[in-house]
Amino acid sequence: MALVDTLKNLRHLFDWTVLDVSEPAAYQKTYTDADNLLLGYQVTVTYKYHGAYEYIFPVDNKVGLITPERAFKRAQNFCNQKRASVKQRIR
C-alpha cells in the first residue's frame, strides 16, 4: 500500500495540469514620492496539485526597453497559451 501511495504522490509531483488562469492585472506599488508606479502585469495560474502561482511580466521604467504595452501583450499571450491548454484538456 505504501508503495502505491508513494508512486501516486510522485506522479502528482510532475503533474502541472492547469485548472484556472486569471486575466492580466496591473501590478502596481505606491511610493511616497510617486503615486502609483506600474511595475508590470500579473497573471495567476492555478494548478491541480500545486496551487496558485503568480507570474509577473515586468515593465522597464528606467531605460524603457519594455513598454507597458509590450508587457501587457506578453502577459496576454501567456494567458492565452495557458487557457488553450485548459481547453485542449477539456475536449
Side-chain angles (χ1 to χ4, degrees):
M1 239 355 177
L3 181 62
V4 172
D5 292 336
T6 303
L7 290 175
K8 182 187 256 186
N9 289 337
L10 193 59
R11 268 188 273 143
H12 291 232
L13 182 66
F14 296 105
D15 186 1
W16 287 84
T17 304
V18 177
L19 295 179
D20 188 34
V21 181
S22 71
E23 285 292 321
Y27 181 69
Q28 299 178 344
K29 187 167 183 178
T30 303
Y31 293 98
T32 55
D33 59 342
D35 291 333
N36 284 335
L37 183 62
L38 178 66
L39 298 177
Y41 289 92
Q42 173 181 339
V43 176
T44 303
V45 180
T46 305
Y47 296 99
K48 187 173 184 177
Y49 298 109
H50 300 282
Y53 277 73
E54 295 176 349
Y55 295 92
I56 306 287
F57 297 89
V59 173
D60 183 12
N61 292 321
K62 294 186 181 190
V63 181
L65 294 175
I66 302 174
T67 62
E69 294 81 17
R70 178 68 183 142
F72 181 76
K73 186 175 179 182
R74 289 179 59 217
Q76 190 66 45
N77 287 340
F78 177 78
C79 182
N80 291 340
Q81 287 175 353
K82 291 297 181 182
R83 284 203 176 130
S85 69
V86 171
K87 288 179 184 176
Q88 188 178 36
R89 185 178 53 86
I90 292 174
R91 288 182 190 175

